[in-house]
Amino acid sequence: MKNILLSIIGIGRNQSGKGYIKTKYKFENGQTYETAFFGSALYRYLFNEKNIDKWYIFGTDKSSWSEIIDTIDEDYKNNLEELYYKVWDEERSGISKNTLNEWQEKLSNYIPGIELINIDPLDYKFYVEFLIKNLPDDELYIILDITHGYRFMPFILSFSIMYIKNFKKIVDLDIYYGALEMKGDEAPVIKIDFINELFKLTTSYEIYKYSGYFPEILKNLGIQNTENTYFQIEMNWRPQKELKEITAKLDNIEESYKTLCAENIKKELQPLLEKELLEDRMIERAKYFFEKNQYLKSLILIYEAITIRMLKRLGITKIHDIPNRKEFLRDKIPQILKEKWMQDNFKILEGVRNSAVHGNIRDSSLYQHIKDREKFSELFKSSLILYEKLKK
């Protein structure tokens, strides 16, 4: 796993009118680091616990780049003194690209993986484009420092991370803030764990919302090891015992910000627990996936549910003994579906199902149901009515 530290550096205003105020920052383990730029304290704190593979620092041409020197041990600062004053002097009017590159090169001798990125603060797209391009494809632990810079910059960077989580393997995210305004003798360092929790809940619930895959969101709600339960449901099995355990655990969630999420999941799982018959569970899953815009799944499920119900109308109890339901039912459809609209509906449903599954549209009359979502929706809804008619 790669450890990536993201910091923002601004201008600051100390008593001399330039740079940040020298502050002693205290971390949760009691360690303190005195520095003007909080990112330096955070890097040194993290470096004691883990290797930092990359440290990206975003700032403008007038940011206090010279303050990064506090990251380096006192024994080596003299080696950078001449360049330090050059950087410090140029910051007043705007540091040149060459000087910033030279400063990065010198710092990298003592801070491996450091990269100084000069940005236009109003180029909002830059952060996300930079991260997509530069973050590796390994599993990533992201540490975000939101202490300095223009107030809006950390927000843009945070939302950029939420977006790129869809494309990069961000395993964990920690957010740190050096709270200078809460300073007594020392300024406390706040690790905002709750944001990481909300981040995980948000992304995993979105996966569930649009796909139906619930193990990840349940894990973030404190309910572990539900992958096989989901697999069994996908295979049209009814893991009743496991579903009861999940719904009971969802009921026991106490934090109010989690209960809304838990209630929504329970509401959608409840029909699978309550429906005794396979075909009824298939119908519930068909409606479930239709609402999540997973039309092929909903189509396959509603077709299979209707064929099972049709076989039962013939008095057949051992459904699974029939190897080819489609062929078995072919000449019996008028006997089961006595009204013309029912026969027409089933014929179209079967044709659309076969065309969609096999990718082979032989009947041009089916084009509209394959190409037009509204037409498919009409077919799906009328097929639900057909199913209910077959239950009577």
Side-chain angles (χ1 to χ4, degrees), residues 52-241:
I52 300 299
D53 297 284
K54 272 291 185 180
W55 184 16
Y56 296 117
I57 306 176
F58 301 92
T60 69
D61 60 349
K62 294 183 180 179
S63 291
S64 299
W65 300 105
S66 58
E67 305 284 19
I68 301 171
I69 199 170
D70 281 344
T71 315
I72 298 171
D73 290 341
E74 292 292 334
D75 295 342
Y76 303 110
K77 285 184 178 180
N78 289 340
N79 299 341
L80 285 79
E81 186 174 6
E82 183 178 347
L83 182 56
Y84 164 79
Y85 282 112
K86 181 182 179 182
V87 172
W88 187 88
D89 187 57
E90 284 192 20
E91 289 167 0
R92 296 173 182 272
S93 56
I95 194 169
S96 70
K97 181 179 179 180
N98 288 340
T99 300
L100 188 63
N101 288 341
E102 187 181 0
W103 186 228
Q104 175 183 301
E105 184 179 349
K106 291 292 185 181
L107 289 171
S108 66
N109 293 326
Y110 308 95
I111 312 170
I114 191 171
E115 189 168 332
L116 311 181
I117 304 111
N118 189 354
I119 64 170
D120 173 359
L122 298 181
D123 183 1
Y124 305 132
K125 298 176 183 177
F126 177 86
Y127 302 96
V128 66
E129 291 174 348
F130 177 89
L131 294 175
I132 287 174
K133 181 180 178 181
N134 290 277
L135 288 182
D137 292 328
D138 308 78
E139 290 189 339
L140 302 175
Y141 167 43
I142 302 291
I143 307 105
L144 176 58
D145 162 22
I146 62 170
T147 306
H148 299 303
Y150 292 114
R151 292 300 90 193
F152 61 85
M153 292 169 77
F155 291 104
I156 298 172
L157 194 50
S158 299
F159 280 103
S160 297
I161 292 170
M162 290 184 68
Y163 173 69
I164 65 169
K165 191 179 187 298
N166 295 298
F167 314 103
K168 298 291 183 177
K169 301 172 186 175
I170 300 178
V171 175
D172 215 348
L173 169 68
D174 279 333
I175 299 178
Y176 284 87
Y177 177 68
L180 178 62
E181 64 273 27
M182 298 172 68
K183 180 181 177 182
D185 294 332
E186 299 151 335
V189 175
I190 301 173
K191 183 180 179 184
I192 312 175
D193 294 330
F194 186 62
I195 288 181
N196 188 29
E197 184 178 356
L198 289 180
F199 176 75
K200 288 182 177 180
L201 285 169
T202 299
T203 52
S204 59
Y205 187 77
E206 284 177 348
I207 291 171
Y208 168 72
K209 181 179 178 181
Y210 294 109
S211 73
Y213 183 75
F214 57 67
E216 193 67 22
I217 180 61
L218 290 182
K219 182 174 73 174
N220 290 324
L221 290 171
I223 303 171
Q224 307 294 330
N225 303 319
T226 62
E227 291 84 359
N228 203 54
T229 302
Y230 178 80
F231 173 77
Q232 291 176 18
I233 292 171
E234 282 289 282
M235 294 297 163
N236 289 318
W237 195 251
R238 188 190 182 208
Q240 187 174 22
K241 176 177 175 290

Side-chain angles (χ1 to χ4, degrees), residues 243-256:
L243 283 171
K244 284 182 177 179
E245 290 174 354
I246 289 172
T247 54
K249 288 175 181 177
L250 289 169
D251 281 336
N252 289 332
I253 291 174
E254 296 181 352
E255 298 95 332
S256 57

